[in-house]
Amino acid sequence: MEADSLNSLVTGAIWRAEQLEAHNIKSAPQAWAEVSSLEEELAKVLPVSGPEGRIARRGAVRAALKAGDYARAEAMAGCYSAEDAAPKSLKTELAKILEEDTRAMARRFRYAARHHSPREARDLARRFRQAGAFGLAA
Amino acid sequence: METVAFYSYKGGVGRSLLLANAARFLATLGKGVVALDFDFEAPGLHYKLGAPQHSDLASAFNGGAVPYLNATAGGTTAPPPLAAHMLGLPVPPGGDGWLRLMPAGPAPRQEYWAAFKELGERLRLGDPSGRGFMALLDLQARIADELKPDYLLIDARTGVTELGGLATTILADTVVCMFAANQESLDGTLVVVEALKAAPRLANQKPIRVVPALSRTTAKPPDEERFAKGVKRLLDLGEGKKGQGDTGSAPFALPHDDAFGASERVVGGERKASAFSPLYKAYLQLFQTLFPSRAQPALRVLERLEAVADVREGLTSDREHYESEYLLGPWSATAIQEGVLCKADSGKGSRYADLICSGETGPPLMVVEYVEDGAIDEALEFWGKSTEVRCVVLLVRTSYVERQIFTRDIEERKLRRVEHRWDLPRPREFELLRDVGDRSVESMLDAVRHGHIEAVAWLVNEWRDSSGEGGDMHRKMRGRGYWRPERAQRILDGLAATEDHRCAEEILRRARPGGYDLRHRGRHFPDDWDVDEESEQKIAKDLFAPLFWRLPVEAVLKSMEERRYPGDFGSLAGYQLLAQDLMGLSYPGRSALEEARALAARLPVPRDNRDEGEDERVLMWLHRSRRQQSERVRLSEEPPPALIWEEMLREDQYWHGTFEEAKEKVGDKARKMLGSGVGLRRRLKEIAARRELTTQGLLGSYEASDRIELYPQVITAAAEVLGVAPRYLKSVVFIHLSTWAMAYEANDLDGQRGYGFAPSPRTSLFDRESPAHVALVQAFTHRLIGVLRDPNLQAAFEELSKQQPEPYARWEPMRKLSLEKLRMFLLTARASASVLGLPPEDTR
């Protein structure tokens, strides 16, 4: 698919996701997941060296986080940062986005954040996802 | 805050019940506790904890863990107030902590299940963003920060679930893993415990602590060896009860308890003895390990409950060594209140009593309080000065629990320690005794004097103990210095002084050889409390026989009537003392059954009864002999023969008819005189003035028909004339006539009865007893009274003999004769008729 077509699809998807989120509609995360997928597709066709390509990459990670899919966001950020032509500024921005999300989580779970690091919780959650309850499936 | 999760691989092991008990226990000991129900699929902790808002859960309450997590699962900067999702619960009386419950939600209402469904979508525990984890950690942290409890107790979901896994691996500091005594439950638990121990923890968390607990330990596992290996592995991973089993450790075992477990009653923190049960005891032992900082209080609660429960059981139990204790009766359960905060009578101050025992009405009689060593004076000060309780029992905790009993007299304020006593006063004792701590002989005799027959059995037992009689055990006691003859004599004299006929009957019943109490005791203690014949004979001689002659005649006659079963008849010990020990004769104590058998065998079978078997004939004779026995001594309302003659001669001084004719003529007049106290006394005064106050014929009579009759109206009037107590005069008359009966009926060495001693038939005015016979009977009467050592009987005897014909006074010169000499005279007098060829024994 061409970049123009994808751009128009992304624009519509973003508008839709923002509207859903603004009206507190349950399917907003799915809408953001859709945005993230479209941005990811766009990133595939746009080189990282160009500003549009960098915007698409940042957008894909942000939308994944908005969709609540931290794992995907983290995976994509890692992938984009590892690209050969990725400028340092993109790496910094992607790290900032993830960091900002962690900070946002700490704000949303302020009691827990006083005692535990959200990052640690994420690590445990990942292991839990792999090994199941009590780690018995590992 | 310490978080303890309660987990079980399989359901139905009492997990929630244990949590509820732990929560109440900790709250009672001053701790702040939050209980959290994470068993979302089957919530019910609020039922176990008896939340007062229980009904609200079905209507107004919409809070709980599920609604809260729904609101916070995605994270929020404005979480809902925690209070709206919690319920405050009451703490047992005396507790100074607090207890809050966060139920799962308003289960079992539909709203709950809808919210629970929504939570499944929101709380994505498997989401690597960690929000699900954070939501749970946030709830835990918020509880810790805002409520600041000492303990958070989590009811984790049974089996292997995401939430159960997180509640145990991430939230908990300690996990109690409950399992049942079967392989399935153990194997599953073992897998989970191994996983728990290997599970990753957050940076600031300590390694997880696991405490396995074996629940409902009634059933034996099918493969014990395999099961034991599994348990050992479990203990290697977790903490068990120290110093138990071969390995030095054993799992905490929570026994099955029908009454407690079935009702799912939560007793944690209860200080009432009735709450104490094997399961509660096991809980308290578990809590000592589970909550190390509360181990000492848990131990103290356990000791207190054990001590108070032991006392309570003793108070309500009727299994005692002596029937006397049984008679005093145990306390009824309704008479005992537990865990009462007592206010001082003055209204100032209050004190906690573990048990309060009350009578049917009125103020409390006895309190039982568990006190620490050092608080005794304070307790006594309160109970002594601020209340009117008559007995205070302090269970004093030193290195063991010592029972100290304090009592006071009804009118005194000061409580006195009762030494050497372990058993607690029984309810009847508060009626019997002014001071329940004073179980002295005098105090008990005072109770008997006031008509309390329950004290009789106690006194008789005391006599047995003090006299060293009553079986081997008593002989051993005698050797150890328990032999107190002076005390035994005091008891005997006190019992003999009993005026109340009902008590006197009871005394004879209890003192009877082979009496009920000894049999009762022998049944319970067959080895120690054997009843041997020699001892029984001594009891018969030293206790029953003296009482038989000294107690009111009415009671004695009643005791002779007593029949409980074939072959049972009143003891002949009294007669044997007289006949054998004094008169040198033999009066065999054959049982009624033996006598009936002898008669049935000897007599020809009546024609009508030929078809009957021997047993029927024995029964017939038994029935007949019993009837005769009960009529052999009686109190007669009829005028005595001497009074009939007296009246007859007043009417016609030349009368020469028979006694029957005289009776017909003046009988009514004599009867009328009996009814008139003044007239009778006047007449007796005249008779006394002539020294004709005869025992035989006027005060009583012994007829050749083997019957002794006493004339109580005449005796009472005569006692007034003589200035002695009627009851003692009656006894003197009874002894005199019984002596006569023995002289006539008892056997000598040849098995011959004393036909020569037959009383005069008194068919005419000139029939009189032989002066020699009268003198001999009086001499033996005096000897018996001397043996009895009863000054009242002695006085009555002497006063009477002063107003009697000359032969009655001959006992005095005969006092100097030896007993052998007297016996020789008696044998001569008895033999005089038989040598004349009077009829042999069997034709009477």
Side-chain angles (χ1 to χ4, degrees):
Chain A
M1 193 176 266
E2 284 184 11
D4 286 350
S5 309
L6 284 169
N7 264 326
S8 56
L9 279 173
V10 163
T11 308
I14 290 172
W15 181 84
R16 187 167 166 268
E18 282 174 347
Q19 290 302 307
L20 289 171
E21 196 179 60
H23 291 92
N24 212 16
I25 289 165
K26 272 191 200 173
S27 56
Q30 281 104 302
W32 282 115
E34 197 178 306
V35 173
S36 179
S37 294
L38 290 169
E39 293 274 27
E40 194 182 7
E41 288 302 316
L42 201 55
K44 281 178 190 169
V45 295
L46 296 173
V48 71
S49 52
E52 285 183 337
R54 292 198 291 274
I55 290 168
R57 282 166 179 74
R58 287 201 301 269
V61 172
R62 268 208 191 93
L65 289 173
K66 287 212 170 223
D69 195 344
Y70 182 84
R72 195 162 163 271
E74 199 180 27
M76 282 193 296
C79 196
Y80 296 147
S81 300
E83 283 180 277
D84 290 340
K88 199 178 174 188
S89 61
L90 177 67
K91 291 177 187 172
T92 311
E93 276 175 28
L94 288 174
K96 254 188 185 173
I97 290 168
L98 290 178
E99 187 59 35
E100 175 54 34
D101 185 75
T102 302
R103 275 204 296 276
M105 188 150 91
R107 280 196 300 277
R108 289 200 303 273
F109 298 105
R110 65 175 188 268
Y111 299 103
R114 277 181 213 156
H115 301 271
H116 312 288
S117 141
R119 200 185 300 275
E120 233 189 326
R122 278 186 177 134
D123 287 345
L124 280 180
R126 195 179 304 119
R127 292 173 73 163
F128 181 77
R129 187 182 184 136
Q130 287 159 1
F134 296 100
L136 291 174
Chain B
M1 181 183 83
E2 183 169 349
T3 303
V4 182
F6 293 76
Y7 171 80
S8 63
Y9 177 72
K10 299 287 286 184
V13 290
R15 186 190 66 246
S16 305
L17 192 60
L18 173 61
L19 186 154
N21 277 290
R24 293 226 325 171
F25 167 76
L26 290 167
T28 310
L29 294 181
K31 296 291 168 188
V33 182
V34 172
L36 183 54
D37 192 353
F38 263 10
D39 188 359
F40 292 164
E41 281 87 348
L45 192 56
H46 52 286
Y47 285 90
K48 304 283 187 306
L49 278 168
Q53 293 90 337
H54 194 274
S55 53
D56 294 345
L57 289 178
S59 55
F61 184 77
N62 282 314
V66 169
Y68 180 86
L69 288 172
N70 266 336
T72 59
T76 173
T77 51
L82 209 47
H85 294 273
M86 291 223 166
L87 299 168
L89 299 177
V91 174
D96 48 2
W98 55 266
L99 173 57
R100 283 188 196 148
L101 165 70
M102 180 178 254
R109 278 160 48 198
Q110 185 275 335
E111 291 97 307
Y112 171 75
W113 301 112
F116 178 52
K117 182 173 174 290
E118 189 185 334
L119 184 68
E121 294 159 14
R122 284 180 181 255
L123 189 71
R124 286 178 298 169
L125 295 172
D127 188 317
S129 70
R131 279 190 306 182
F133 275 46
M134 285 300 277
L136 295 182
L137 288 167
D138 197 65
L139 172 59
Q140 184 188 34
R142 190 175 182 197
I143 288 171
D145 291 352
E146 286 191 2
L147 302 177
K148 295 186 172 49
D150 298 291
Y151 288 95
L152 171 65
L153 307 182
I154 302 177
D155 190 8
R157 173 71 190 152
T158 286
V160 177
T161 62
E162 288 186 343
L163 192 61
L166 288 186
T168 49
T169 54
I170 303 300
L171 300 184
D173 301 306
T174 301
V175 181
V176 181
C177 282
M178 299 183 73
F179 63 104
N182 61 63
Q183 205 62 48
E184 179 192 2
S185 182
L186 176 65
D187 288 350
T189 306
L190 205 47
V191 166
V192 168
V193 170
E194 280 172 344
L196 278 176
K197 294 301 277 187
R201 303 275 283 165
L202 292 164
N204 58 357
Q205 285 181 325
K206 286 181 286 185
I208 202 158
R209 206 175 142 228
V210 176
V211 179
L214 177 59
S215 175
R216 307 205 166 152
T217 55
T218 46
K220 275 198 163 186
D223 182 348
E224 286 187 46
E225 199 183 327
R226 188 179 157 204
F227 192 83
K229 273 186 184 169
V231 170
K232 189 175 178 308
R233 171 76 185 130
L234 209 49
L235 290 172
D236 290 342
L237 295 167
E239 286 178 35
K241 208 152 99 180
K242 294 285 180 294
Q244 302 283 319
D246 299 336
T247 57
S249 177
F252 288 96
L254 307 176
H256 178 71
D257 188 332
D258 268 340
F260 184 0
S263 63
E264 304 217 309
R265 207 170 123 224
V266 177
V267 292
E270 283 283 357
R271 288 199 286 180
K272 293 180 181 174
S274 59
F276 195 66
S277 73
L279 182 56
Y280 190 21
K281 182 177 177 177
Y283 278 168
L284 288 170
Q285 286 169 342
L286 173 61
F287 296 160
Q288 286 174 51
T289 295
L290 205 50
F291 312 111
S293 67
R294 300 287 86 196
Q296 276 304 312
L299 183 64
R300 280 202 293 276
V301 170
L302 179 58
E303 284 169 348
R304 177 181 205 130
L305 280 172
E306 257 182 328
V308 177
D310 183 47
V311 168
R312 192 180 189 281
E313 197 192 337
L315 289 173
T316 52
S317 160
D318 60 2
R319 288 196 60 188
E320 296 296 340
H321 300 180
Y322 289 100
E323 198 206 358
S324 52
E325 288 162 341
Y326 173 74
L327 280 175
L328 292 172
W331 293 89
S332 71
T334 52
I336 302 176
Q337 287 174 276
E338 294 180 67
V340 181
L341 197 64
C342 290
K343 284 188 179 156
D345 291 345
S346 62
K348 288 180 186 170
S350 60
R351 196 163 178 89
Y352 182 87
D354 289 285
L355 299 175
I356 287 191
C357 304
S358 307
E360 285 176 12
T361 53
L365 299 171
M366 179 166 79
V367 295
V368 179
E369 187 191 340
Y370 181 95
V371 291
E372 294 292 329
D373 194 15
I376 300 171
D377 291 343
E378 185 191 314
L380 288 177
E381 172 92 4
F382 178 83
W383 297 119
K385 290 190 177 164
S386 307
T387 70
E388 287 185 354
V389 290
R390 288 169 58 193
C391 178
V392 177
V393 181
L394 297 182
L395 305 174
V396 185
R397 178 83 191 89
T398 51
S399 55
Y400 64 100
V401 178
E402 187 193 358
R403 191 183 282 189
Q404 294 187 6
I405 303 172
F406 299 84
T407 63
R408 61 180 159 200
D409 188 277
I410 295 170
E411 287 168 9
E412 282 182 21
R413 301 300 299 165
K414 191 170 166 52
L415 286 160
R416 274 187 305 272
R417 173 94 185 261
V418 182
E419 301 289 347
H420 311 303
R421 183 167 170 177
W422 177 256
D423 60 313
L424 299 177
R426 307 249 156 180
R428 287 285 289 142
E429 281 180 75
F430 288 90
E431 295 169 33
L432 300 185
L433 305 170
R434 290 173 60 86
D435 178 353
V436 289
D438 180 12
R439 268 194 182 180
S440 63
V441 168
E442 285 66 30
S443 169
M444 283 298 195
L445 285 171
D446 188 54
V448 173
R449 274 194 287 280
H450 285 86
H452 294 298
I453 62 170
E454 294 87 344
V456 170
W458 186 90
L459 282 162
V460 170
N461 283 327
E462 278 298 297
W463 182 90
R464 284 176 194 271
D465 290 346
S466 304
S467 64
E469 296 304 338
D472 279 349
M473 177 56 83
H474 285 86
R475 270 200 290 279
K476 283 176 204 160
M477 283 178 169
R478 187 173 174 158
R480 288 180 198 151
Y482 286 88
W483 185 46
R484 290 170 292 176
E486 282 176 16
R487 181 179 160 88
Q489 188 61 42
R490 269 203 339 266
I491 294 172
L492 180 62
D493 289 341
L495 289 174
T498 302
E499 298 281 350
D500 183 82
H501 291 180
R502 208 168 55 95
C503 281
E505 281 169 37
E506 182 69 9
I507 291 168
L508 287 168
R509 196 168 82 81
R510 296 277 158 200
R512 206 176 61 167
Y516 176 78
D517 206 18
L518 215 57
R519 290 203 308 277
H520 171 88
R521 204 167 49 179
R523 209 165 46 234
H524 287 292
F525 303 95
D527 299 332
D528 286 347
W529 300 91
D530 60 330
V531 181
D532 65 87
E533 203 161 315
E534 192 192 334
S535 288
E536 286 301 285
Q537 280 173 3
K538 279 197 71 84
I539 289 166
K541 188 181 161 195
D542 296 343
L543 180 67
F544 180 84
L547 289 171
F548 181 84
W549 295 118
R550 292 175 69 180
L551 281 167
V553 172
E554 290 82 351
V556 171
L557 299 190
K558 202 85 182 162
S559 81
M560 289 163 73
E561 276 175 23
E562 191 175 308
R563 300 291 185 277
R564 285 165 180 269
Y565 50 86
D568 180 30
F569 69 124
S571 170
L572 294 175
Y575 292 116
Q576 282 164 352
L577 172 68
L578 175 61
Q580 287 168 205
D581 294 6
L582 290 175
M583 299 166 82
L585 301 170
S586 161
Y587 193 66
R590 280 195 302 186
S591 75
L593 192 62
E594 286 167 348
E595 280 182 14
R597 281 205 181 112
L599 272 171
R602 207 161 55 213
L603 296 175
V605 182
R607 188 171 294 175
D608 297 344
N609 301 96
R610 289 223 167 117
D611 296 337
E612 291 176 349
E614 194 188 332
D615 286 350
E616 278 82 5
R617 288 205 299 281
V618 169
L619 276 175
M620 182 192 78
W621 282 110
L622 181 66
H623 177 71
R624 217 175 262 189
S625 70
R626 280 168 59 178
R627 203 173 50 208
Q628 285 169 358
Q629 192 93 10
S630 64
E631 289 172 356
R632 287 195 59 186
V633 184
R634 65 173 192 154
L635 300 171
S636 174
E637 299 294 315
E638 286 295 303
L643 209 57
I644 298 281
W645 286 124
E646 177 83 13
E647 287 307 309
M648 192 63 243
L649 290 175
R650 275 176 182 267
E651 280 204 358
D652 178 359
Q653 57 178 322
Y654 301 109
W655 169 262
H656 55 275
T658 63
F659 176 72
E660 290 305 319
E661 287 166 344
K663 194 174 177 183
E664 200 172 315
K665 217 165 166 54
V666 296
D668 287 343
K669 200 175 171 188
R671 272 185 213 101
K672 207 171 168 186
M673 182 181 284
L674 281 184
S676 148
V678 179
L680 184 60
R681 276 199 300 278
R682 196 185 311 127
R683 181 60 49 82
L684 288 174
K685 262 184 196 162
E686 290 167 17
I687 295 171
R690 299 199 307 265
R691 292 194 64 182
E692 285 186 0
L693 213 54
T694 58
T695 307
Q696 172 72 293
L698 182 62
L699 301 176
S701 69
Y702 171 62
E703 297 169 18
S705 62
D706 296 355
R707 175 181 287 172
I708 290 174
E709 285 192 341
L710 304 177
Y711 302 108
Q713 288 147 305
V714 182
I715 293 171
T716 305
E720 285 183 36
V721 169
L722 297 170
V724 296
R727 66 159 277 197
Y728 295 113
L729 188 60
K730 218 177 281 172
S731 292
V732 168
V733 173
F734 180 50
I735 292 171
H736 177 95
L737 297 174
S738 298
T739 308
W740 202 302
M742 289 297 107
Y744 176 59
E745 290 180 35
N747 297 335
D748 58 24
L749 286 175
D750 298 330
Q752 290 293 310
R753 289 162 59 116
Y755 290 108
F757 233 95
S760 160
R762 290 190 165 263
T763 49
S764 80
L765 181 58
F766 304 102
D767 289 333
R768 291 284 170 111
E769 286 75 22
S770 150
H773 287 182
V774 171
L776 269 172
V777 168
Q778 277 288 82
F780 279 109
T781 303
H782 174 253
R783 295 281 164 125
L784 178 60
I785 290 173
V787 168
L788 298 177
R789 288 193 286 178
D790 188 325
N792 294 309
L793 285 183
Q794 185 71 37
F797 175 76
E798 287 178 15
E799 283 304 313
L800 176 62
S801 73
K802 284 177 194 164
Q803 312 299 331
Q804 291 187 302
E806 191 270 337
Y808 281 91
R810 270 195 230 161
W811 62 270
E812 208 156 359
M814 290 167 87
R815 271 195 309 187
K816 290 168 190 158
L817 294 177
S818 68
L819 192 59
E820 287 307 310
K821 196 95 178 165
L822 269 183
R823 284 175 175 178
M824 203 183 71
F825 283 140
L826 179 67
L827 284 175
T828 310
R830 278 163 52 92
S832 61
S834 66
V835 294
L836 295 174
L838 281 173
E841 179 188 7
D842 293 336
T843 54
R844 68 185 168 109

